[in-house]
Amino acid sequence: MLDQFLELRSSSSISLKRKIITTGDGSKTIQIEEWNEQYHSLHGAINEANHVFIKHGLIFFIESFPNIKSIDILEIGFGTGLNALITLLKAEALNLDINYVGVEAYPVHQDEIKQLNYVNQLSTNDTAFSKLHECSWESVHKLTPHFTLLKQQKLFSEINQKMAFNLIYFDAFGARVQPELWTESIFKIMYDGLKENGVLVTYSAKGSVRRAMQAVGFFVERLPGPPGKREMLRAQKRV
Ligand SMILES: C[S@@+](CC[C@H](N)C(=O)[O-])C[C@H]1O[C@@H](n2cnc3c(N)ncnc32)[C@H](O)[C@@H]1O
């Protein structure tokens, strides 16, 4: 089991102890012990990704716009690359072009990546997952026939793309530990980054988060949450 310290430069610079744990569906995640916070739901990392980001995000978008030929996705918190991997597999399965931008200020360490079991759990080979992590930051890489990846190492507050994305996977750590990431100013950046009729999905269902989204112009729906969670949120830039 990995047990190490990582310097996470948040607003207050703190050393955070991390370890790899197994979640309810057998897939691994990273736990930040001091925060009692995980990269994914304790009830199942893969289950959560499939429910929140794929079913209520990607599949919802495809069903809403069946004639769309290519989808631009922004991920808030690239982290372990789990959401990116599942999205890449969907792009190939559906013959749908996806351009994926993953923003991450504090990339996961190689020794942590090696301990994640997503390739086995998803019954795929490790080529795609390795490529996701081995490709360089700040350049666009065509990883498979239908999936390109751009990893950007920066803070979410530094995102400045406008009208660039169809879909945002908003997967920041919870508002309990990083309240500054669930504010009107961050959701304004997300709203401006979306194209018309763009969609943002997140696992959070907090009332304060919903109100911050509505305040910047989003139409917000509460949807059934993944295992272990009653609700989640989906926000749309309806123009
Ligand atoms: C919940 S985890 C993301 C999990 C990820 N989507 C996955 O599938 O593994 C949140 C991520 O946000 C990153 N992060 C935290 N604060 C950030 C900030 N201000 N700007 C950019 N990234 C940040 C963390 O390093 C972490 O990787």
Side-chain angles (χ1 to χ4, degrees), residues 72-76 78 84 98-104 131-132 135-143 147-154 160-161 164-165:
D72 296 301
I73 299 180
L74 169 66
E75 181 173 21
I76 293 302
F78 182 78
I98 294 183
N99 303 308
Y100 198 96
V101 176
V103 174
E104 173 60 60
K131 282 186 188 170
L132 287 174
C135 71
S136 59
W137 292 74
E138 321 307 337
S139 334
V140 177
H141 300 273
K142 191 169 169 75
L143 298 190
F147 187 90
T148 70
L149 176 65
L150 168 62
K151 295 186 291 187
Q152 296 187 310
Q153 187 169 4
K154 61 183 177 185
N160 54 14
Q161 291 101 318
F165 304 105

Side-chain angles (χ1 to χ4, degrees), residues 39-40 75 77 79-80 83 104-106 154-156 171 173 178:
Y39 276 55
H40 306 97
E75 181 173 21
T80 64
N83 291 333
E104 173 60 60
Y106 319 106
K154 61 183 177 185
L155 294 169
F156 304 140
D171 199 15
F173 288 131
Q178 287 196 294

Side-chain angles (χ1 to χ4, degrees), residues 212-225:
M213 290 173 170
Q214 287 166 332
V216 302
F218 277 115
F219 169 83
V220 187
E221 291 169 278
R222 279 187 289 213
L223 301 170

